[in-house]
Amino acid sequence: MILIIGGLGSGKHSFVAQELGYSEKDLSTDPTDSKPVLSDLQNLIRKKGALSNELKAQLLAKKVVICDEVGSGVVPLDEQERSWRDEVGRAQVSLAAEASTVIRVVCGIPQTIKGEL
């Protein structure tokens, strides 16, 4: 599995399309479907609350997982927002540990953190 991280609007989807060859029809937000690319992991974590073992197994079966980095910037006053950001970070750490490749996209420029394409 390739984990793609980066800020909102940083070019993650363009990278997945142009460099990895996946189109919009290959993307999904549902970890249980057969599409090879899961997008918006951060929203899935918001809905599920945390990365369970079952969800992690489903994500590791995907070819690509895309997640916004949500932990930078001003720390929210709302406890639930802080907790969500923490859970997204924990999910990224857990998936990155088992991913074959981890890429961070900044300003449309991919930075390989782990592995190779």
Side-chain angles (χ1 to χ4, degrees), residues 15-113:
F15 172 79
V16 168
Q18 295 168 2
E19 300 296 324
L20 302 180
Y22 293 105
S23 68
E24 284 295 319
K25 66 178 171 55
D26 297 317
L27 274 70
S28 175
T29 57
D30 181 356
T32 62
D33 68 20
S34 62
K35 293 189 178 184
V37 181
L38 181 112
S39 182
D40 299 325
L41 173 62
Q42 74 283 350
N43 294 335
L44 187 59
I45 296 297
R46 185 183 295 277
K47 188 183 335 178
K48 300 279 187 181
L51 181 68
S52 66
N53 289 334
E54 178 184 1
L55 178 56
K56 183 176 178 180
Q58 292 167 337
L59 296 174
L60 290 172
K62 297 287 185 180
K63 298 289 185 188
V64 178
V65 173
I66 303 169
C67 186
D68 286 352
E69 292 180 325
V70 296
S72 299
V74 177
V75 177
L77 292 175
D78 183 68
E79 184 177 342
Q80 288 180 324
E81 285 297 305
R82 288 193 310 270
S83 176
W84 167 67
R85 286 169 49 147
D86 290 346
E87 288 302 328
V88 172
R90 287 184 191 100
Q92 288 177 341
V93 168
S94 182
L95 291 172
E98 297 193 43
S100 61
T101 305
V102 178
I103 296 172
R104 182 171 187 241
V105 180
V106 179
C107 298
I109 301 169
Q111 301 172 322
T112 302
I113 296 173

Side-chain angles (χ1 to χ4, degrees), residues 3-23:
L3 177 62
I4 310 279
I5 62 171
L8 178 67
S10 64
K12 297 179 299 296
H13 286 93
S14 294
F15 172 79
V16 168
Q18 295 168 2
E19 300 296 324
L20 302 180
Y22 293 105
S23 68

